[in-house]
Amino acid sequence: DQQVKQNSPSLSVQEGRISILNCDYTNSMFDYFLWYKKYPAEGPTFLISISSIKDKNEDGRFTVFLNKSAKHLSLHIVPSQPGDSAVYFCAAKRIIQGAQKLVFGQGTRLTINP
Amino acid sequence: EADIYQTPRYLVIGTGKKITLECSQTMGHDKMYWYQQDPGMELHLIHYSYGVNSTEKGDLSSESTVSRIRTEHFPLTLESARPSHTSQYLCASSESWDRGKMETQYFGPGTRLLVL
């Protein structure tokens, strides 16, 4: 039972345009959502997060939108740059047996074309 | 920025060998985690630790074991490696958290394990 899903394994965007990465979840108990970015041969690095009580969080070129009724979140990158080419993981946080746990999606490989 | 290290980065080993994957962090974080990730798949939590002498099983069953004798060190051991253990293993750490607050998990670069 996959609680966090990223249905697009890959996305290709022209440099300077907007990149939109999507994520769906099934569990209403998640209280935070996060995006991680991963380059080849490196571990994931934290990018941006949003609390379940918010619907938008912005940090520079990155904005995350949360639609709780649809159980959907998206990451917008604008303008997209070649250095944004990476795998992006959506993750959701909940408390289970007193421990804060992250549940990850499968990732979306973003390629920014010059 | 968190400093978290994993060694080896790549390991090719024969079936039946005992292996230990090392993970160290210099941030003094209480919480540490091990994830397993296959290509194109999600990260699965296999072990975590609240602090020294604390170890817990994660969401994905794993034949590996972990120990936490020192705050900065969280090694993962496979007593007898098998081809089914071939995967990427990612270590992470985070500070102690207050309920309702967001903690950020910082990841190491990972160890790619290939068992022949």
Side-chain angles (χ1 to χ4, degrees), chain A residues 2 31-32 34 36 38 41-44 46 49 89 93 95-106, chain B residues 9-10 35 37 40-43 45 48 50 59 88 90 97 99-105 107-109:
Chain A
Q2 195 171 348
D31 61 351
Y32 272 93
L34 305 86
Y36 278 83
K38 185 179 184 298
E42 294 183 14
F46 171 73
S49 66
F89 290 95
K93 180 186 82 66
I95 308 296
I96 302 175
Q97 295 177 329
Q100 193 172 105
K101 292 187 178 179
L102 294 181
V103 180
F104 286 84
Q106 315 96 300
Chain B
R9 295 292 307 278
Y10 304 91
Y35 291 87
Q37 187 202 10
M41 303 296 289
E42 60 267 43
L43 283 70
L45 181 68
Y48 61 99
Y50 294 107
D59 303 323
Q88 182 177 35
L90 291 157
W97 50 273
R99 192 179 186 92
K101 289 187 180 178
M102 227 296 292
E103 69 174 39
T104 299
Q105 290 187 17
F107 284 82

Side-chain angles (χ1 to χ4, degrees), chain B residues 21-79:
Chain B
L21 307 184
E22 302 288 349
C23 176
S24 295
Q25 50 95 6
T26 59
M27 300 293 101
H29 287 169
D30 288 328
K31 304 288 194 300
M32 295 191 75
Y33 312 81
W34 276 103
Y35 291 87
Q36 183 175 342
Q37 187 202 10
D38 293 325
M41 303 296 289
E42 60 267 43
L43 283 70
H44 288 287
L45 181 68
I46 53 174
H47 298 283
Y48 61 99
S49 168
Y50 294 107
V52 171
N53 294 326
S54 153
T55 61
E56 302 288 341
K57 292 284 190 184
D59 303 323
L60 181 69
S61 175
S62 174
E63 293 169 346
S64 59
T65 59
V66 292
S67 62
R68 190 89 183 275
I69 298 171
R70 303 199 314 266
T71 298
E72 62 272 20
H73 197 213
F74 191 40
L76 180 146
T77 298
L78 278 164
E79 289 293 332

Side-chain angles (χ1 to χ4, degrees), chain A residues 37-94:
Chain A
K37 176 180 178 179
K38 185 179 184 298
Y39 291 120
E42 294 183 14
T45 55
F46 171 73
L47 195 56
I48 191 169
S49 66
I50 186 168
S51 165
S52 61
I53 63 173
K54 307 270 187 180
D55 54 21
K56 177 182 174 181
N57 187 28
E58 190 173 352
D59 183 4
R61 295 185 299 113
F62 302 92
T63 303
V64 56
F65 295 93
L66 176 62
N67 182 334
K68 283 190 70 176
S69 60
K71 292 191 172 69
H72 177 84
L73 66 153
S74 61
L75 174 68
H76 292 213
I77 306 173
V78 56
S80 300
Q81 299 174 354
D84 297 329
S85 295
V87 177
Y88 289 78
F89 290 95
C90 169
K93 180 186 82 66
R94 63 175 293 200

